[in-house]
Amino acid sequence: MKKIIIRIILALICLVVVIGLVIGGLMFAYYPHYKKMKHPVTFTSTVTDSDEITVMSSNMRCLNPGDKLKRSWYYRADLIVNNIEKYQPSIIGFQEATKSQYEYMTDCLVGFDSVIEFRDNTPIAEGCPVFYRSDMYTLVDKGSFWLSQTPEVMSKDWDSACYRICSYVILEEKETNKQFVVFNTHLDHVSDEARIKGIGVVLDKIKQFGSLPSIIMGDFNADESSVTYENVTKDFLDAKYQTENTMSGCTYQAFGEQLDNENIDYFMISKTGITVNEYKVVTDTYDGVYPSDHFPILLKFTLDAGESNAK
């Protein structure tokens, strides 16, 4: 009997090893592609081309072992860069960026500086970095805080499934000296209370910057019928409704499997100081492959005269 038990245990160990090798093989199958296709983004615009500011918000999908073959990060990474190269944003906010993904984007986004704080101390910790073109903007201030009752320290509350964080920058246009604030966050995917109170923490923080034009971007994990959306739109405007030049729709699409989903990714803008020129859901695929399980969103806007220098 003892020998039988040992054999069963050994067989199970072998099975686990084989499964692990198969999963690892599927995940890393495109690692050579990942290394080969990595390249710096080419930007065609210059500082003086336009006073229009283009911002992209992109939930890039974390480096997840469950994503196999062309859904794996090692195939998709360059597709996310392709989107950036095509739409030429001067400011980018990513959600679900793990350390290696952040480093990859830092290498590719030559000419950009960035601000990030990872939400916890685990090897797979995620952050919500803000990248900005250093030739166009001067960094006035930056920071990160947790969406909790004690936002200045690593913490989580309200039954949040994960630590949740927000990173922000105050930028000044080098050509005009106009200042504005950009916040990037990712609200909890499980707890409704954590989403409602988490966005409240963000709104409280923005109040510290007075009348500076402000943008909140990110994955809210909440549709437009939610209390979260209702609360944020008391003080901010949903950018996609501020212009006729807009294309809205599903943003979380599960790699194309749920294209009828509601919008859960947003640009919220302050009620003064910003004129929206265009809003777009970026639905590009590459040979039928989705760069992420979310569509990025794109915002083009201008800063109104006289509003953005108020402190």
Side-chain angles (χ1 to χ4, degrees):
M1 179 63 70
K2 185 176 180 180
K3 289 182 178 180
I4 294 174
I5 293 173
I6 292 173
R7 287 175 183 173
I8 292 173
I9 292 172
L10 290 174
L12 289 173
I13 292 172
C14 289
L15 180 61
V16 170
V17 170
V18 169
I19 292 172
L21 290 172
V22 170
I23 292 174
L26 293 173
M27 180 183 178
F28 288 97
Y30 284 98
Y31 189 77
H33 168 91
Y34 171 79
K35 299 294 287 186
K36 178 182 178 181
M37 300 302 291
K38 183 178 180 180
H39 69 279
V41 175
T42 300
F43 282 89
T44 58
S45 62
T46 64
V47 175
T48 57
D49 279 348
S50 171
D51 62 354
E52 186 174 69
I53 298 170
T54 301
V55 188
M56 177 178 280
S57 177
S58 175
N59 184 319
M60 66 197 314
R61 173 73 172 180
C62 64
L63 205 167
N64 190 320
D67 295 337
K68 311 299 190 301
L69 299 175
K70 289 187 177 182
R71 289 188 178 184
S72 77
W73 164 250
Y74 299 109
Y75 189 86
R76 298 186 295 105
D78 186 60
L79 306 186
I80 293 174
V81 172
N82 288 348
N83 271 345
I84 295 168
E85 204 156 41
K86 179 176 180 179
Y87 291 98
Q88 302 276 299
S90 58
I91 302 169
I92 309 165
F94 293 110
Q95 299 89 44
E96 295 194 21
T98 60
K99 293 178 182 179
S100 62
Q101 290 173 305
Y102 171 68
E103 290 167 0
Y104 180 93
M105 286 300 166
T106 299
D107 290 342
C108 292
L109 293 172
V110 176
F112 280 72
D113 287 337
S114 61
V115 171
I116 190 171
E117 178 76 48
F118 293 99
R119 68 189 189 187
D120 57 54
N121 293 323
T122 64
I124 56 172
E126 299 173 14
C128 296
V130 181
F131 285 80
Y132 59 92
R133 278 182 56 170
S134 56
D135 62 332
M136 298 177 69
Y137 310 107
T138 299
L139 180 66
V140 177
D141 195 9
K142 64 179 181 179
S144 298
F145 54 93
W146 280 263
L147 307 187
S148 71
Q149 297 181 75
T150 52
E152 67 281 358
V153 297
M154 185 184 299
S155 52
K156 64 187 181 81
D157 290 301
W158 311 306
D159 294 322
S160 178
C162 307
Y163 290 93
R164 295 293 180 178
I165 202 164
C166 179
S167 292
Y168 70 89
V169 292
I170 300 179
L171 299 176
E172 181 173 287
E173 284 188 303
K174 291 186 176 182
E175 286 293 299
T176 66
N177 296 322
K178 294 178 180 177
Q179 294 184 8
F180 59 104
V181 187
V182 180
F183 279 67
N184 181 27
T185 195
H186 188 181
L187 303 183
D188 198 63
H189 65 298
V190 173
S191 169
D192 191 40
E193 183 182 13
R195 287 189 290 272
I196 294 167
K197 293 186 176 177
I199 199 64
V201 175
V202 176
L203 295 171
D204 286 343
K205 184 69 176 181
I206 289 180
K207 291 176 183 177
Q208 298 179 16
F209 302 117
S211 58
L212 279 178
S214 303
I215 298 170
I216 308 169
M217 62 177 163
D219 177 357
F220 287 13
N221 274 311
D223 62 30
E224 294 180 23
S225 65
S226 66
V227 176
T228 299
Y229 183 89
E230 178 185 352
N231 285 354
V232 73
T233 51
K234 290 176 182 177
D235 298 311
F236 279 72
L237 302 173
D238 187 339
K240 66 177 170 287
Y241 295 122
Q242 308 313 308
T243 176
E244 294 182 358
N245 190 9
T246 192
M247 189 277 280
S248 61
C250 165
T251 57
Y252 173 71
Q253 31 70 9
F255 292 111
E257 293 181 356
Q258 300 176 28
L259 292 170
D260 57 349
N261 276 343
E262 298 286 339
N263 172 44
I264 62 171
D265 300 86
Y266 300 94
F267 287 114
M268 297 291 177
I269 62 169
S270 53
K271 292 183 177 180
T272 60
I274 293 175
T275 297
V276 177
N277 302 324
E278 182 179 355
Y279 170 93
K280 180 180 179 66
V281 179
V282 177
T283 59
D284 298 68
T285 58
Y286 298 86
D287 295 325
V289 180
Y290 291 79
S292 177
D293 59 344
H294 286 242
F295 288 132
I297 52 177
L298 195 77
L299 176 67
K300 295 184 179 182
F301 70 94
T302 52
L303 295 170
D304 299 342
E307 293 287 344
S308 54
N309 289 319
K311 304 295 193 296

